[in-house]
Amino acid sequence: MSDALKNRLYQIIFKTETKQGRAYDIFLILSITLSTLLIIFESVDGLFYPYRNIFSFFEWFFVIIFSIEYILRLYVVKDSKGYAFSFYGLVDLFSILPAYISFFIPAARFLMVIRVFRLLRLFRVFKMMRYVEESGTLIRALRASRPKITVFLFTIIFIVIFTGAIMYIVEGPQNGFNNIPESIYWAIVTVSTVGYGDISPQTPLGKLISSVLMIVAYGIIAVPTGIITSEMNNASKKAVKLATCPNCFSEDHVADAIYCNKCGNLL
Amino acid sequence: MSDALKNRLYQIIFKTETKQGRAYDIFLILSITLSTLLIIFESVDGLFYPYRNIFSFFEWFFVIIFSIEYILRLYVVKDSKGYAFSFYGLVDLFSILPAYISFFIPAARFLMVIRVFRLLRLFRVFKMMRYVEESGTLIRALRASRPKITVFLFTIIFIVIFTGAIMYIVEGPQNGFNNIPESIYWAIVTVSTVGYGDISPQTPLGKLISSVLMIVAYGIIAVPTGIITSEMNNASKKAVKLATCPNCFSEDHVADAIYCNKCGNLL
Amino acid sequence: MSDALKNRLYQIIFKTETKQGRAYDIFLILSITLSTLLIIFESVDGLFYPYRNIFSFFEWFFVIIFSIEYILRLYVVKDSKGYAFSFYGLVDLFSILPAYISFFIPAARFLMVIRVFRLLRLFRVFKMMRYVEESGTLIRALRASRPKITVFLFTIIFIVIFTGAIMYIVEGPQNGFNNIPESIYWAIVTVSTVGYGDISPQTPLGKLISSVLMIVAYGIIAVPTGIITSEMNNASKKAVKLATCPNCFSEDHVADAIYCNKCGNLL
Amino acid sequence: MSDALKNRLYQIIFKTETKQGRAYDIFLILSITLSTLLIIFESVDGLFYPYRNIFSFFEWFFVIIFSIEYILRLYVVKDSKGYAFSFYGLVDLFSILPAYISFFIPAARFLMVIRVFRLLRLFRVFKMMRYVEESGTLIRALRASRPKITVFLFTIIFIVIFTGAIMYIVEGPQNGFNNIPESIYWAIVTVSTVGYGDISPQTPLGKLISSVLMIVAYGIIAVPTGIITSEMNNASKKAVKLATCPNCFSEDHVADAIYCNKCGNLL
């Protein structure tokens, strides 16, 4: 394949600037949505059993299309390895792999729903850059609060292990707390305020300990919210800090600054 | 009908400035509340069965009143089409339509509870403008955070589809995860921390995946709160930061300041 | 009774400055706590049945003490009517009333736990004024956000009525949605993310509507948090606004103000 | 033991600066993690029953190691009593004590999972000081909001006691509300939005009261979040607002500003 053709294919498959590139991406998004819906509804036994052959046909049709596309992507991109191990590259691969694994483990093909993440391209295609930026703000806020969240997660894990073990001793297998891992699962269900009720304390002491855990959970649920709100406030403040000093190129100015805070120059 | 009469009717039905207009609106609010309660309690089988004829009579009584009113509204307003397709116009229509549909589908008449939204007029009638403004602030804050919320919703949807499919493979129909749509329903029940417990994981691996999902949900539930709190802070700040001192360029003045609090200069 | 004695009793019963007043209050708090625990544990059938006579004796003992105290309070206070209809006056009355009602309706005596609210005196007695102030900040923040919260509550009520009616039509009595009031109860259980699971959707359409409601609930739960956080930020800002201008007596200064923002005078 | 040796042991066991100290700490963390996993998985009956002897052996192996270590710690530290009653000292003790108690009460040995808290040393060992500082911020924010949280907790406790008693009267033992303590447990499960569903209201009046409680819970859950977010905002603000311009008295400078951003004056 000539370099010119390779480059043109690259423009169509990877970029959205050209008319064909845009058309290709829209076609791709429709295919992904359709094929994901196909997998989801195929699992509804009674309803679609009579049409299982049609479902199967279209499923393989999309697998073959996406497989060809994946190989093309690997071929036309300059940095093949870089693409293959990028987030999108891996998602593209895992979107087709389960189909081939399903020869050995039939249930595996449902894993193809992972292709729903290919739809993240949606934002790029429809020039929803504002949305991408917003998600950037969200991700930056989450990243900035990583140390706080790590500490928080460790606290949660220590609490659920400890409460799980105590509840295993207090309630025991006769009340549904079959072993410590299940007790820890119960503690997570409780602390996250999900509360299925598949396991629940039966003894007065167990109910007392649960009550304490739930009231503690109250305070705990407030912590990540506090962390993220606080970071997002900071992030939105930083986002207005745009002015660059023409003298010293410092960028860290508050929104309404008139003089540079590093060299005293008029902004 | 003369234009003067039409205008007077318009003042009574649509406005609240005149005495009759106010009286009419209060009568309307009482009728709506009463008729909504009627529909709600009519559904309680045992209790109200002996009175079903009285219920039926009043229900139709209100339907006829509201139908006449709807036609009058269409007639007296200048921009009939504009009204018909406005929020209030549509609510007014859907408040009576189900009664006529109930000739064909009896259960449909319960849809008339949609008329509860007509009560939004309440705020206007009782001059609770402050409340309307507040709801304006709320709506503006929500609108300003739309891109962030869109990104957030997509993330949630991708997560529940993906987790749903995995749990369908791990747990399967024998444990209540009958198909992927039901698994997705379970994932939404879990991620939103509602946790009915009608479907819950039975296998150790399923419990492990659920636990991870619940801890992730912790962080996720913090995000919309962070978004809205942050926007509401900005909204309330914008309302305050008005004056800049012409002398020292300080901007940190309260809304009704006359002199700069930093250099004493007249603002 | 002489006025001097009456005044002394007033100091002891209502105030905490004197030694006896403090001793009296501590005795009162212990009595309240003890008698509340008595009522709570009396309800545990099996365990305390053999001691029911002792329980009964102490219960009446406290009722008589509190009754005498209530009459004394009414007698020694200057504004008897003002006290009788104050928050504390009403709590004091309702703490003993159920005992007398229990002659006619035995179960009513458990209502005496209302006396737990008498313990609010705790904060005053132990000079925990800082805590009282803090609760003042909380209450002020809640009061300041009343319009927003009213709008929010109306929105919730409209949503649960509407969703309740729709789910009654979709699911119906055969799936546990016996009537619209119960469907509304289900909607509240869902929107508040409590999720008992005593009623849960069985049909695919019902599950779809529930899913939408739960995702909406996500956003909704963020609103009161946003409101209160925002108000508490404002409240804590206002709390630092202490400086009073010596010239114009204006009080609305920011924490670091140097000049009065009303008259330009040096603070 | 000579003082030099004692000091060297102190450096190894308590400090992480020396090479051996670090090696020792890493070994300790691995031992703790391994022995905790051992206890957790030992409780899974079916799976590990054939290996119960190996499990038992390693469990005692770790108990002996940790016991020797605890005695050494007591011996080499200068302030033995201070260490013994410090947080880490108590955790170290309670990590081995249950093993000896298990001679009398076999189930007690599962309490050894308390040793998971020894892993808090993790942060110090891996020089994750930033994380420690972050947790410091979290703890300071929580401590600063203690009065507000105390008031909040009392409010919750009063509400659940009161609602519990009312629901006991309304629903009674025939609907699962066996006694007031269990009703209070139900109220906590509801207010914290956990909602197991093991106890749930059956009567219309009970459902109405629950609905009110759930809507109140909405507001209540917002309070701790508001408190903590507000405190964390203050904490992060205090870290930033350092410099005041001597010329224009503006205070809105970033932490590392050299010139005032309002008047260009040297700070």
Side-chain angles (χ1 to χ4, degrees), chain A residues 184-212:
Chain A
I184 292 172
Y185 160 75
W186 167 84
I188 292 172
V189 168
T190 300
V191 145
S192 63
T193 78
V194 170
Y196 289 129
D198 51 349
I199 311 174
S200 66
Q202 305 296 325
T203 64
L205 183 58
K207 285 178 183 179
L208 183 66
I209 295 170
S210 306
S211 297
V212 172

Side-chain angles (χ1 to χ4, degrees), chain B residues 68-86:
Chain B
I68 292 169
E69 196 224 357
Y70 181 68
I71 292 163
L72 259 181
R73 274 181 190 267
L74 273 178
Y75 182 69
V76 300
V77 83
K78 263 171 217 158
D79 181 12
S80 294
K81 215 173 163 182
Y83 162 70
F85 289 98
S86 71

Side-chain angles (χ1 to χ4, degrees), chain C residues 14-160:
Chain C
F14 278 90
K15 299 283 177 182
T16 59
E17 278 79 35
T18 60
K19 219 175 168 178
Q20 291 124 311
R22 232 179 112 74
Y24 178 81
D25 271 331
I26 289 168
F27 165 75
L28 194 65
I29 285 169
L30 290 177
S31 306
I32 295 167
T33 310
L34 210 74
S35 66
T36 308
L37 290 176
L38 219 67
I39 299 168
I40 291 178
F41 286 105
E42 198 211 330
S43 71
V44 185
D45 253 3
L47 206 59
F48 298 100
Y49 194 74
Y51 313 102
R52 68 193 181 288
N53 288 328
I54 304 168
F55 267 74
S56 190
F57 169 74
F58 277 106
E59 223 176 277
W60 281 105
F61 172 75
F62 283 120
V63 166
I64 290 161
I65 282 188
F66 293 152
S67 300
I68 292 169
E69 196 224 358
Y70 181 68
I71 291 163
L72 259 181
R73 275 181 190 267
L74 272 178
Y75 182 69
V76 300
V77 83
K78 264 172 216 156
D79 181 10
S80 292
K81 214 173 166 184
Y83 162 70
F85 289 98
S86 71
F87 173 73
Y88 279 119
L90 288 170
V91 168
D92 289 353
L93 179 61
F94 288 124
S95 298
I96 45 173
L97 217 58
Y100 300 107
I101 295 174
S102 75
F103 285 124
F104 311 101
I105 311 158
R109 83 180 177 288
F110 293 115
L111 274 175
M112 283 194 286
V113 293
I114 207 176
R115 73 174 54 140
V116 86
F117 288 103
R118 294 192 75 186
L119 289 178
L120 288 171
R121 285 190 173 91
L122 210 81
F123 293 109
R124 202 192 54 200
V125 176
F126 291 106
K127 307 260 179 233
M128 293 188 284
M129 284 316 291
R130 216 179 130 209
Y131 292 78
V132 178
E133 274 165 38
E134 291 294 346
S135 79
T137 313
L138 274 178
I139 287 164
R140 234 173 306 130
L142 287 171
R143 195 169 294 164
S145 46
R146 212 178 44 191
K148 280 205 200 72
I149 286 173
T150 307
V151 169
F152 171 75
L153 277 182
F154 268 87
T155 314
I156 293 281
I157 289 167
F158 289 173
I159 288 175
V160 296

